[in-house]
C-alpha cells in the first residue's frame, strides 16, 4: 500500500498526543506536532522523495531522527515508537481526544486527578459534577463536555457521503462480479443523496441468492455477520457501517428498488395513493385483486399509479407526489450544468496548490471559470491575505489569464465577517475583485440576535456577493450558530446577495430544506466546492445532490451561467 503524506501526518499527530497524555518531555511531542504540520503543507510526496533518495532534513522542522521515522513509516507502514506508546496509553483513554475541546493536557489531568480511563468514565464524572471541581475545568467546561458527549454518541451512528462512497463503489463492483448477478443498486438514503446515511441498503437481482449471500458474508471487509438469510443478509463493515443486501427476483426489481429507496414517509404516501385507487403496493409489485400489474422497473411502478418517475432526491414526502400528479416536478440541476466554481483556496492561504494548478484542474473539468477566494487577514492561522498580498494575487491572476484564454480565473476572496458585521478588508481593495464570498469563521457563540444582526450587516455591504456556508454547521461536530435564517433569506432576496451551498461533505450548508425555502423566495444560490486542493473541486457532486434535494433547477444556481452572463450579473452599479 502506498504511504501518503496524510498517513505520516496522522501517525505523528497520534504519537504527539499519546506522548503528551503520558506526560513525556514536551519537546518530543512538540517536535512530532511541528513535523506533522510541515508534512501537511508539502506538495511533494514524502514516499517519492525517499524513493529518489532526497534529503528529508532540508524540510523545515525535520532533523535526522524524524527523517528516519518517516523512512520507517514509508518502508514498514508503521512506526515502532507509536506501537509502543499505544501499549502504554490505553486506546480507551486516547479515545477521549475525539471529544471536541479535550486536548491531551486536559485528558492527562482527567486521568491523573479523577482516574478517568474511558468515555464512559468521562460521562459519569461529568454527570456527578466532579469535573467542575477540577482546577482548569469549571462548570462551563463540564456542561460543554456533556453536550459534546451527547453529540459524540449520537454521531457515531451516521456517516457522511464521502466516507461511504469508496466502500459503496467497491461493494457494488464486488457484487456485480458474482456470476449469475443481473442487477445491483445501492438504494436507501444513499440513493436519495441524503447528507448522512445510517446504513447501506443494496439490492441484487439474481436467480441464485444463496451463493451471492455466501460470497457477501465472506467479503474481506465484513467484520461481523449480523444476519444471514437468502432474501436479506446484513454485515457490519470494518468501517463501522451496517450493510444490508437484499436479493429479489427480476420481476420485482423495480418495486423493491422503489420500496428500499424510501424514504419511509414517501413510501407511506405512495401506498396511500395506491389504496385510494384500489391498488395494493409492496416491495414485490403493484397489484389489483391479487393480480401483479407492475414490478420489473421503477418506471412501470410509478406509471401504474399514473405518475412519472420521481427523482430519488425528492422522495421525502415534501410535496413531490402532488407535484408529480400535476406534471410540475422540477427539472433538477445536474453536475454537468455547472460552468464554473466560485469558492476555492490556493497555497496563498491554506490551500495546497498554486493558482495555476487550480486553474488547470478547473479547466480540465470543463469549466469556463474558477473564482479564487483565499482567506483574508483576520484569519491569521491560515495565512489570510491582507490588502497588499491580495493586490499581488490580482496581478498574478492577470498573468495566468493571459496564458489560459478563454478559461478565466476570477478574482475574489473569502472575506471574514468581523464580530460587528464589518468585512475585514477595505473597500479600496474589495472593489478590484470580481466577487467576494463573505463568511463567519470566528465568534460562533454570539446570541441569536447579535449573530443575525452581524450577518445581516455584512450582507448589506455592496461588496458581499455570496454569503459563504451560511449556517456554519459541521455535520457531526458543530451545530449551526444560533441564527434567524428567515431574516437572512429575506435579506438575500431584498439585497440580491446570493447564498452558498457549500459542497464540503461535512458542511452541506445550506441544508436541503433551506435551499428549497430560498428557491421559493426567488433567491439565487451558488454551488461551491470550497476546495483546498485540485482534487477537492470534485466535491461539487455533493453540493449538487444537496441542491437536488432542495428542488433546485439550473436556473436557480448562479454558476450555471456562462462567463459573459455571470460577469454582467456580478457588475456593481
Ligand atoms: P438511513 O439508513 O437511516 O440513512 O435511512 P434509509 O432511508 O436508508 O432507511 P432504512 O435503511 O431504515 O430503510 C431503507 C428503506 O426501506 C427506507 O428508506 C424505506 C424502506 N423502509 C424501511 N422500513 C420501512 C417501513 O417500516 N415502512 C415503509 N413503508 N418503508 C420502509
Ligand atoms: Ca439505509
Ligand atoms: Ca437498512
Ligand atoms: Zn473557503
Amino acid at each position: 500500500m502506498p504511504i501518503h503524506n496524510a498517513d505520516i501526518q496522522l501517525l505523528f499527530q497520534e504519537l504527539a498526543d499519546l506522548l503528551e497524555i503520558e506526560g513525556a518531555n514536551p519537546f518530543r511531542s512538540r517536535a512530532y506536532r511541528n513535523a506533522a504540520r510541515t508534512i501537511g503543507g508539502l506538495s511533494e510526496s514524502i514516499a517519492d522523495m525517499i524513493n529518489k533518495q532526497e534529503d528529508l532534513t532540508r524540510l523545515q522542522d525535520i532533523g535526522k531522527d524524524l527523517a528516519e521515522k518517516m523512512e520507517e513509516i514509508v518502508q514498514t507502514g508503521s512506526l515502532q515508537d507509536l506501537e509502543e506508546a499505544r501499549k502504554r496509553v490505553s486506546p480507551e483513554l486516547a479515545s477521549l481526544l475525539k471529544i471536541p475541546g479535550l486536548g491531551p493536557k486536559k485528558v492527562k489531568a482527567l486521568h491523573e486527578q479523577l482516574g478517568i480511563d474511558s468515555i464512559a468514565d468521562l460521562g459519569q464524572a461529568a454527570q456527578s459534577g466532579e469535573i467542575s471541581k477540577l482546577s482548569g475545568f469549571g462548570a462551563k467546561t463540564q456542561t460543554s463536555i456533556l453536550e459534546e458527549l451527547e453529540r459524540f454518541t449520537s454521531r457515531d451512528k451516521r456517516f457522511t457521503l464521502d466516507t461511504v462512497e469508496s466502500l459503496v463503489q467497491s461493494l457494488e463492483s464486488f457484487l456485480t462480479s458474482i456470476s449469475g448477478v443481473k442487477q445491483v443498486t445501492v438504494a436507501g438514503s444513499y440513493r436519495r443523496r441524503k447528507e448522512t446515511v445510517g446504513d447501506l441498503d443494496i439490492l441484487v437481482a439474481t436467480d441464485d441468492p444463496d451463493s451471492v449471500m455466501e460470497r457477501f458474508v465472506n467479503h474481506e471487509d465484513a467484520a461481523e455477520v449480523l444476519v444471514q438469510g437468502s432474501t436479506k443478509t446484513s454485515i457490519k463493515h470494518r468501517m463501522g457501517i451496517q450493510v444490508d443486501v437484499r436479493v429479489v427476483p427480476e420481476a420485482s426489481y423495480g418495486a423493491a428498488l422503489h420500496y428500499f429507496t424510501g424514504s419511509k414517509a414517501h413510501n407511506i404516501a405512495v401506498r396511500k395513493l395506491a389504496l385510494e385507487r384500489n391498488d395494493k403496493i409492496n416491495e414485490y409489485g403493484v397489484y389489483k385483486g391479487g393480480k401483479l400489474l407492475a414490478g420489473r422497473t421503477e418506471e412501470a411502478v410509478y406509471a401504474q399509479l399514473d405518475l412519472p418517475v420521481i427523482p430519488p432526491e425528492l422522495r421525502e414526502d415534501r410535496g413531490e407526489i402532488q407535484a408529480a400528479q400535476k406534471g410540475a416536478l422540477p427539472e433538477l440541476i445536474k453536475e454537468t450544468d455547472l460552468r464554473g466554481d466560485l469558492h476555492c483556496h490556493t497555497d496563498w492561504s491554506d490551500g495546497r496548490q498554486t493558482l495555476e494548478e487550480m486553474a488547470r484542474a478547473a479547466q480540465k473539468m470543463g469549466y469556463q471559470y474558477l473564482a479564487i477566494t483565499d482567506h483574508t487577514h483576520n484569519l491569521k492561522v491560515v495565512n489570510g491575505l491582507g490588502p497588499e498580498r491580495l493586490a499581488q494575487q490580482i496581478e498574478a491572476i492577470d498573468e495566468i489569464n493571459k496564458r489560459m484564454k478563454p478559461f478565466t480565473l476570477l478574482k475574489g476572496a473569502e472575506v471574514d465577517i468581523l464580530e460587528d458585521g464589518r468585512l475585514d478588508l477595505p473597500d479600496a481593495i474589495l472593489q478590484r475583485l470580481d466577487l467576494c464570498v463573505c463568511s463567519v469563521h470566528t465568534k460562533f457563540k454570539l446570541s441569536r440576535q447579535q449573530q443575525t444582526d452581524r450577518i445581516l450587516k455584512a450582507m448589506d455591504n455592496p461588496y458581499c456577493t455570496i454569503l459563504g456556508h451560511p449556517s456554519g454547521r459541521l455535520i457531526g461536530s458543530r451545530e449551526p450558530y444560533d441564527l434567524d435564517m428567515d431574516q437572512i433569506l429575506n435579506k438575500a432576496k431584498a439585497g440580491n446577495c446570493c447564498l452558498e451551498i457549500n459542497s464540503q461533505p461535512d458542511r452541506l450548508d445550506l441544508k436541503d430544506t433551506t435551499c428549497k425555502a430560498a428557491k421559493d423566495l426567488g433567491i439565487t444560490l451558488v454551488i461551491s466546492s470550497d476546495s483546498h486542493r485540485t482534487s477537492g473541486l470534485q466535491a461539487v457532486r455533493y453540493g449538487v445532490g444537496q441542491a437536488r434535494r432542495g428542488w433546485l433547477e439550473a436556473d436557480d444556481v448562479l454558476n450555471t451561467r456562462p462567463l459573459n452572463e455571470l460577469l454582467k450579473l456580478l457588475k456593481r452599479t
Side-chain angles (χ1 to χ4, degrees):
M1 234 170 41
I3 301 289
H4 301 293
N5 289 6
D7 299 318
I8 306 176
Q9 194 184 3
L10 284 176
L11 294 180
F12 277 7
Q13 269 159 0
E14 185 184 344
L15 182 52
D17 286 342
L18 296 185
L19 289 172
E20 208 169 324
I21 292 176
E22 62 177 344
N25 183 338
F27 288 105
R28 276 186 73 204
S29 49
R30 205 169 308 143
Y32 282 112
R33 246 183 250 297
N34 290 340
R37 197 170 308 126
T38 298
I39 296 163
L42 284 181
S43 52
E44 9 174 15
S45 146
I46 290 176
D48 286 350
M49 291 175 72
I50 289 173
N51 284 337
K52 287 189 237 152
Q53 305 208 322
E54 283 175 35
D55 180 12
L56 297 178
T57 61
R58 73 172 172 77
L59 300 173
Q60 194 188 343
D61 294 320
I62 308 291
K64 191 162 158 295
D65 183 50
L66 285 164
E68 279 167 12
K69 307 274 182 224
M70 291 200 268
E71 283 186 41
E72 183 188 341
I73 295 171
V74 169
Q75 265 139 29
T76 68
S78 63
L79 181 61
Q80 193 59 37
D81 283 2
L82 176 60
E83 300 296 329
E84 280 160 22
R86 280 178 182 159
K87 283 182 203 145
R88 295 190 305 266
V89 180
S90 77
E92 287 77 30
L93 180 59
S95 70
L96 294 186
L97 291 171
K98 291 189 199 149
I99 308 294
L102 286 189
K105 279 200 188 69
K106 284 214 163 82
V107 172
K108 179 169 184 272
L110 288 166
H111 176 66
E112 284 177 353
Q113 296 178 47
L114 295 178
I116 288 173
D117 280 317
S118 65
I119 288 189
D121 290 351
L122 181 71
Q124 277 172 10
Q127 243 135 27
S128 71
E130 278 180 87
I131 291 179
S132 63
K133 293 178 208 138
L134 218 56
S135 86
F137 283 78
K140 234 173 137 180
T141 315
Q142 176 167 283
T143 312
S144 96
I145 287 177
L146 280 169
E147 284 169 7
E148 295 294 356
L149 274 176
E150 180 145 346
R151 221 166 284 149
F152 183 78
T153 38
S154 61
R155 160 181 58 182
D156 258 8
K157 295 181 201 129
R158 298 195 69 81
F159 299 77
T160 51
L161 286 172
D162 59 320
T163 54
V164 293
E165 211 164 50
S166 66
L167 73 94
V168 163
Q169 280 157 8
S170 87
L171 287 172
E172 242 177 339
S173 57
F174 170 78
L175 290 166
T176 309
S177 73
I178 298 174
S179 79
V181 166
K182 294 173 179 136
Q183 293 190 68
V184 176
T185 314
V186 182
S189 50
Y190 184 81
R191 183 164 182 241
R192 303 198 311 280
R193 303 311 282 167
K194 204 173 152 159
E195 59 197 29
T196 60
V197 301
D199 68 7
L200 294 169
D201 307 277
I202 310 184
L203 219 59
V204 176
T206 178
D207 299 328
D208 185 3
D210 291 329
S211 69
V212 170
M213 296 313 200
E214 194 54 31
R215 289 286 300 279
F216 178 56
V217 296
N218 286 304
H219 188 276
E220 57 180 0
D221 291 333
E224 194 185 333
V225 179
L226 304 169
V227 195
Q228 183 171 2
S230 56
T231 54
K232 180 184 172 186
T233 292
S234 300
I235 61 150
K236 182 77 115 186
H237 191 279
R238 70 179 168 85
M239 300 282 287
I241 192 167
Q242 180 176 327
V243 185
D244 301 341
V245 163
R246 289 189 178 80
V247 168
V248 289
E250 277 196 291
S252 291
Y253 197 77
L257 185 54
H258 178 260
Y259 184 87
F260 291 112
T261 296
S263 67
K264 192 169 161 180
H266 173 85
N267 288 354
I268 290 170
V270 169
R271 191 190 307 140
K272 186 160 158 266
L273 177 68
L275 285 175
E276 283 163 12
R277 306 160 50 106
N278 287 319
D279 292 343
K280 190 183 149 221
I281 182 170
N282 61 26
E283 59 266 52
Y284 299 101
V286 190
Y287 301 83
K288 199 176 227 60
K291 185 168 173 278
L292 178 69
L293 301 176
R296 190 167 289 270
T297 64
E298 264 190 341
E299 284 81 2
V301 167
Y302 279 112
Q304 192 57 46
L305 302 170
D306 289 321
L307 296 174
V309 173
I310 298 175
E313 294 91 337
L314 298 184
R315 300 183 195 172
E316 300 291 346
D317 193 23
R318 294 180 189 150
E320 71 277 12
I321 295 170
Q322 294 75 359
Q325 284 174 320
K326 284 190 281 183
L329 282 176
E331 172 127 10
L332 295 181
I333 183 170
K334 303 181 298 296
E335 232 184 296
T336 48
D337 291 327
L338 300 182
R339 307 282 178 92
D341 193 335
L342 299 180
H343 183 168
C344 80
H345 300 265
T346 72
D347 60 2
W348 285 65
S349 67
D350 60 344
R352 291 283 178 267
Q353 266 102 17
T354 63
L355 289 169
E356 180 148 359
E357 284 167 331
M358 293 300 283
R360 302 257 170 227
Q363 190 182 38
K364 223 170 134 193
M365 286 174 71
Y367 285 164
Q368 298 180 351
Y369 51 86
L370 171 69
I372 300 297
T373 56
D374 274 309
H375 287 293
T376 51
H377 59 170
N378 188 47
L379 280 190
K380 292 187 184 60
V381 286
V382 297
N383 196 22
L385 279 63
E388 278 165 31
R389 286 179 66 225
L390 196 48
Q392 287 165 13
Q393 191 182 59
I394 289 172
E395 282 173 31
I397 289 176
D398 281 333
E399 278 309 305
I400 292 170
N401 278 340
K402 278 184 208 153
R403 293 200 294 276
M404 291 194 58
K405 275 184 190 149
F407 181 85
T408 303
L409 278 186
L410 297 171
K411 298 156 194 163
E414 183 174 10
V415 184
D416 245 47
I417 300 176
L418 300 172
E419 183 174 358
D420 61 5
R422 282 179 306 128
L423 304 182
D424 80 327
L425 284 175
D427 289 358
I429 187 78
L430 296 182
Q431 69 182 15
R432 297 182 56 195
L433 301 174
D434 295 308
L435 64 94
C436 289
V437 178
C438 298
S439 311
V440 165
H441 291 118
T442 56
K443 302 275 175 194
F444 301 129
K445 297 247 150 110
L446 297 183
S447 72
R448 185 180 180 83
Q449 188 66 49
Q450 280 176 308
Q451 197 67 277
T452 306
D453 289 346
R454 169 194 193 182
I455 295 175
L456 292 176
K457 181 168 173 204
M459 292 170 83
D460 268 336
N461 190 306
Y463 294 105
C464 178
T465 330
I466 301 164
L467 179 64
H469 42 76
S471 85
R473 72 163 176 182
L474 290 177
I475 296 173
S477 61
R478 192 171 76 210
E479 293 296 308
Y481 14 85
D482 201 3
L483 200 60
D484 184 344
M485 194 50 88
D486 288 340
Q487 287 194 46
I488 304 293
L489 292 180
N490 287 326
K491 174 67 76 177
K493 182 178 157 64
N496 284 328
C497 177
C498 298
L499 298 181
E500 180 178 79
I501 302 173
N502 190 296
S503 301
Q504 290 296 311
D506 63 343
R507 285 195 185 271
L508 291 175
D509 182 6
L510 298 173
K511 65 176 181 179
D512 52 2
T513 48
T514 314
C515 290
K516 174 116 190 311
K519 177 202 165 95
D520 291 344
L521 284 169
I523 295 165
T524 303
L525 294 112
V526 179
I527 300 177
S528 295
S529 69
D530 191 3
S531 166
H532 288 67
R533 46 176 59 80
T534 47
S535 60
L537 293 169
Q538 309 285 345
V540 289
R541 65 179 176 279
Y542 308 114
V544 169
Q546 186 81 341
R548 290 169 64 89
R549 290 178 58 80
W551 295 53
L552 300 195
E553 304 181 275
D555 264 357
D556 300 315
V557 175
L558 185 66
N559 49 320
T560 60
R561 308 281 193 278
L563 179 66
N564 53 356
E565 256 182 63
L566 176 79
L567 288 174
K568 270 184 231 150
L569 290 167
L570 290 177
K571 222 172 236 127
R572 294 177 201 93
T573 45

